[in-house]
Amino acid sequence: MIVYSGTKREFLDDVRSNVIADKVETEVLRRLNRNSPRNEKMSWENSLQYMSQVLWDEDIPASAGVAIEYNLPMTNRRVDFILTGKDKDRQDTAVIIELKQWQNVEKTNKDAIVKTRFQHGVKETNHPSYQAWSYGALIQDYNETVRQESILLQPCAYLHNMDFGHVINDPFYDAHTSRAPVFIKQDAIRLANFLKKYVRYGDSDNILYRIEHGVIKPSKNLADALASMLDGNPEFLMIDDQKLVYETALNLAHKAQTGQKQTLIVNGGPGTGKSVVAINLLVEMTNRELLVQYVSKNAAPREVFKKKLIGSKKKTHIDQMFKGSGAYTEVEQNQFDALIVDEAHRLNEKSGLYGNLGENQIKEIISGSKLSIFFIDEFQRVTLQDIGTNDSIKSWADELSSTVTEVNLSSQFRCNGSDGYLAWVDNVLQVRPTANTTLDDIDYEVRVFDDPNVMRMVIKEKNRLANKARMVAGYCWDWKSKKDKSDMDIVIPEFDFEAQWNLTDDGSLWLIAENSVDQIGCIHTCQGLELDYVGVILGDDFVVRDGIAVTDARNRSSNDRSIRGFKTMLKRDKELAQSLTDEIIKNTYRTLMTRGQKGCFIYSTDKETLDYFKASAICSTKQEIKSISSPFDGLALNIVSIEEANPYVTHVPIFDIQAAAGGFSDSQMADCNEWVELPDYIRVSEGMFVAQVVGESMNRRIPNGAWCLFKLNPGGSRNGKVVLVQHRSIEDPDHGGSFTVKLYQSVKNFEHDEQVNVKVILKPDTLSFGYSNIELSDDSEELMVIGEFLSVVS
């Protein structure tokens, strides 16, 4: 998504009119649903003035494209400025420009890390060349349109307030400045020359449009990529604070080898990449011949990772890399070079099956390693036995003479990169108040269901795509099927709903096991792992009364060991017991509701609570799977009736082009009986519709039979865009109908000093032979441009 886009000429006009910052601020509010702080608006006013001065160079074409604040795919990060056009070889090019207000920087001994002054003091941060390059690499990685259509991405950085560039261009950073040159205040002409090298001609082929509406490939899953990572392949590009944490950890590992014991605390919420950084550190430290292990209290991530590595590594090697948190009760002091503790909030005091070994897991890990790294989110402590807190880690580090460094992860990679969704979860569960009281304009799929059977059907439908959709629940039902495999555990009689907890046969591998979608998981089998879609059943341990969240641990199953000792504690200190279990219950549902990369579906056993979630979510609750039949065979998306759809929020109408009579119209769109649910990465808007494109005439962009998303009645210039058109006298070479999808070109001449359309050329875009242009005289009564192609959706 691009916040602001236009041509160079339009951008310069907006800057000269002193409206550019206002326009960007307005679009941030409209598109991102957030207000811009004063310092952010001031940075736009300042930086964009400097960019306009660079772009005044007449050799930079007026028709070059300008984009401001482009949202990186699948993250919450944005590119400051993009200039698009064609280079001397007429190759489509986008120059990514990272803009900085910095005046001074300090060199560090960490790769791609510098120090500079921010609002609250001097801090370490990414070198702007690395930041610009990593953003470009991320676009290249996720945006299939950029890759398939060979759009060249060229990063650079412009520090327009900096007078001296010797530090930012220090040879230590050559690896990054060579890929993304950095320009300072005196380099405005050099920057203009650099831009002219890559943007010699204007953006005549809608490069910005193609980048913004490009096909985004699915997010990677850490478990799936693990084997490749351990072979040294960079599967996950680390950006911003991830890179800073990674380099900080490697620097501390070096310090720890000299004799000074080190402890690193990494704070990060769900989806901030804690496990990705942890695994990258495991790989790099192993390559540096350090004795290092990955540690987790929860068995599920360890066992899933081990399962994924079978066949690529020896079992003994795998077992040595991944350990439980209770494995260090008898290790010698500083036996390991580094211990990397993921989900450190789950650490316990005692170890062993009966909790009778060791003294304290935090103490034993710090004692046993020269460098101990704790990845932690205190809001994911989910049992009364969890002792992992920042304070407890710092206390033990101080006692064991280990120097503490504390850093934060904030870049969001789960939940479609939506900070808004995570804030909504905290607000709706009343973990903490946030401004996100509804899901308005949040780009993440959330549905609240009246019927758990319907939610189960939707989860199964989603699971067919990649075996990455599961249902989970709060531990409010006894595990009867553990003893009797024919018995049902989770029973909701009023809906005739029955299900079993995850089978003992699957154990910690439930989340990736084949056919395990039929069972329901709990916090212990999914924490530390991720899915594409998660369906969450809230039990009676969390209900809402008159808008207030009320938790009651007594409504949890007696089999639930996470609140073991609660009743005894209740007798000794009722207030403390209720406070601790309230935190545990809310944290449990917070963790469950943030397992999905693409979407979260919700059902509550309590009617008032269900109504509360529906009001907060503002989304349809009567979704159901409908059998797909002709003429929509082959469409891997949910189709529902208009009564069941959430029009232009999650659903758009779907048409059979060849059956469409009399063209398309707003009224026809509104009366359409069949509506389709769009994938979660698409921001739905009025006028969108889905139709099938048949044939090979556009196979460079659109495969034969693909279902595509269009925008009705597109305004502005159509030149260079792919459009759906209807004309009485044409016959599409693939299906013979009067509708066709082609590249649109308008040929214009000057008559009496006015530019007039002469003819329209509809061009194929194909790797196949036998397709020719369709040329039509410009006759508005005959030719109807129905819609503009946005993307392939199935």
Side-chain angles (χ1 to χ4, degrees), residues 30-185:
R30 187 176 72 87
R31 291 170 177 256
L32 304 181
N33 193 35
R34 72 166 179 82
N35 293 311
S36 303
R38 176 59 189 157
N39 62 336
E40 185 176 35
K41 186 175 180 181
M42 289 175 63
S43 72
W44 291 326
E45 291 172 343
N46 190 18
S47 294
L48 297 179
Q49 284 282 351
Y50 277 97
M51 275 307 305
S52 72
Q53 294 170 21
V54 172
L55 294 183
W56 272 113
D57 191 305
E58 292 182 355
D59 290 333
I60 299 174
S63 58
V66 169
I68 299 171
E69 301 286 350
Y70 167 68
N71 202 94
L72 289 170
M74 310 304 293
T75 80
N76 61 350
R77 297 299 176 178
R78 302 197 303 276
V79 175
D80 292 333
F81 198 96
I82 301 177
L83 186 73
T84 57
K86 295 178 182 289
D87 65 11
K88 62 181 178 62
D89 299 319
R90 303 276 180 176
Q91 181 177 4
D92 293 343
T93 303
V95 182
I96 294 168
I97 308 168
E98 183 64 27
L99 300 172
K100 297 295 184 188
Q101 305 279 326
W102 305 351
Q103 294 180 330
N104 298 289
V105 294
E106 299 175 34
K107 181 183 171 184
T108 73
N109 61 352
K110 301 174 185 176
D111 179 58
I113 304 299
V114 296
K115 284 184 178 180
T116 192
R117 178 169 294 280
F118 292 97
Q119 187 175 1
H120 300 294
V122 175
K123 293 183 180 179
E124 290 185 333
T125 188
N126 289 180
H127 189 290
S129 292
Y130 176 86
Q131 187 176 6
W133 169 81
S134 64
Y135 284 4
L138 203 65
I139 297 171
Q140 184 82 26
D141 190 25
Y142 276 108
N143 194 312
E144 292 186 357
T145 300
V146 168
R147 196 165 55 254
Q148 292 172 358
E149 298 184 8
S150 300
I151 298 174
L152 174 67
L153 302 178
Q154 176 57 54
C156 67
Y158 185 25
L159 282 61
H160 48 75
N161 290 339
M162 186 171 289
D163 291 315
F164 303 102
H166 58 283
V167 176
I168 204 70
N169 280 301
D170 190 281
F172 178 72
Y173 301 113
D174 277 352
H176 308 294
T177 55
S178 62
R179 293 187 295 196
V182 60
F183 301 91
I184 62 170
K185 189 175 184 178

Side-chain angles (χ1 to χ4, degrees), residues 407-596:
V407 290
N408 298 302
L409 282 171
S410 60
S411 298
Q412 177 54 233
F413 288 86
R414 197 181 291 154
C415 304
N416 203 28
S418 176
D419 286 324
Y421 171 69
L422 297 177
W424 176 81
V425 169
D426 284 350
N427 194 83
V428 78
L429 293 176
Q430 299 179 21
V431 173
R432 63 183 178 93
T434 73
N436 297 81
T437 57
T438 73
L439 287 169
D440 282 347
D441 297 318
I442 289 177
D443 190 16
Y444 181 72
E445 185 175 1
V446 181
R447 300 195 218 168
V448 182
F449 290 83
D450 287 316
D451 186 337
N453 292 294
V454 178
M455 185 167 80
R456 178 159 55 184
M457 284 192 292
V458 174
I459 284 290
K460 287 187 175 183
E461 188 73 15
K462 296 288 188 184
N463 191 61
R464 291 176 188 173
L465 301 176
N467 191 35
K468 292 179 181 176
R470 295 290 186 276
M471 286 180 67
V472 296
Y475 211 153
C476 298
W477 292 268
D478 291 342
W479 192 2
K480 300 176 183 177
S481 62
K482 186 175 184 180
K483 295 180 179 179
D484 183 355
K485 291 190 175 182
S486 65
D487 212 342
M488 290 291 157
D489 303 312
I490 301 171
V491 178
I492 306 175
E494 59 267 37
F495 292 100
D496 198 25
F497 177 89
E498 294 182 338
Q500 291 182 327
W501 286 116
N502 47 275
L503 301 177
T504 52
D505 296 344
D506 297 327
S508 296
L509 297 175
W510 164 79
L511 188 132
I512 61 171
E514 294 293 330
N515 302 318
S516 66
V517 70
D518 292 325
Q519 284 80 47
I520 292 179
C522 68
I523 187 67
H524 308 299
T525 48
C526 70
Q527 189 171 25
L529 296 166
E530 58 190 16
L531 295 155
D532 283 348
Y533 295 93
V534 63
V536 181
I537 297 178
L538 290 92
D540 289 341
D541 59 341
F542 180 97
V543 298
V544 175
R545 296 293 177 259
D546 297 322
I548 304 298
V550 179
T551 60
D552 191 342
R554 292 171 298 185
N555 289 329
R556 282 201 163 189
S557 166
S558 58
N559 301 137
D560 181 16
R561 297 172 62 86
S562 66
I563 56 168
R564 187 177 57 182
F566 158 67
K567 292 182 180 178
T568 301
M569 186 187 301
L570 198 62
K571 295 175 182 177
R572 291 201 308 262
D573 190 334
K574 182 178 179 180
E575 186 174 332
L576 175 63
Q578 290 179 336
S579 173
L580 288 175
T581 55
D582 179 77
E583 178 185 347
I584 295 303
I585 292 168
K586 289 179 178 178
N587 285 355
T588 297
Y589 286 118
R590 179 181 188 266
T591 303
L592 295 178
M593 291 170 65
T594 53
R595 294 305 92 194

Side-chain angles (χ1 to χ4, degrees), residues 654-721:
I654 180 170
F655 292 95
D656 174 19
I657 289 180
Q658 294 149 73
F664 291 69
S665 66
D666 288 329
S667 60
Q668 186 180 3
M669 300 270 283
D671 293 335
C672 179
N673 288 323
E674 306 288 348
W675 290 67
V676 64
E677 177 193 0
L678 290 182
D680 55 281
Y681 60 80
I682 295 175
R683 184 178 292 276
V684 182
S685 65
E686 290 277 347
M688 286 183 174
F689 65 94
V690 168
Q692 189 178 34
V693 177
V694 177
E696 303 291 347
S697 67
M698 294 296 294
N699 62 21
R700 278 171 56 96
R701 302 172 188 239
I702 306 173
N704 182 14
W707 290 91
C708 301
L709 181 66
F710 294 88
K711 179 76 171 180
L712 184 71
N713 299 326
S717 173
R718 298 157 182 162
N719 261 338
K721 295 182 179 179

Side-chain angles (χ1 to χ4, degrees), residues 728-758:
R728 295 177 191 172
S729 64
I730 67 172
E731 184 173 292
D732 187 273
D734 286 307
H735 58 74
S738 61
F739 294 95
T740 191
V741 176
K742 295 289 183 291
L743 275 168
Y744 185 101
Q745 180 184 347
S746 176
V747 180
K748 303 176 185 296
N749 278 343
F750 280 92
E751 293 181 9
H752 307 295
D753 295 327
E754 289 186 3
Q755 196 176 47
V756 295
N757 294 332
V758 176

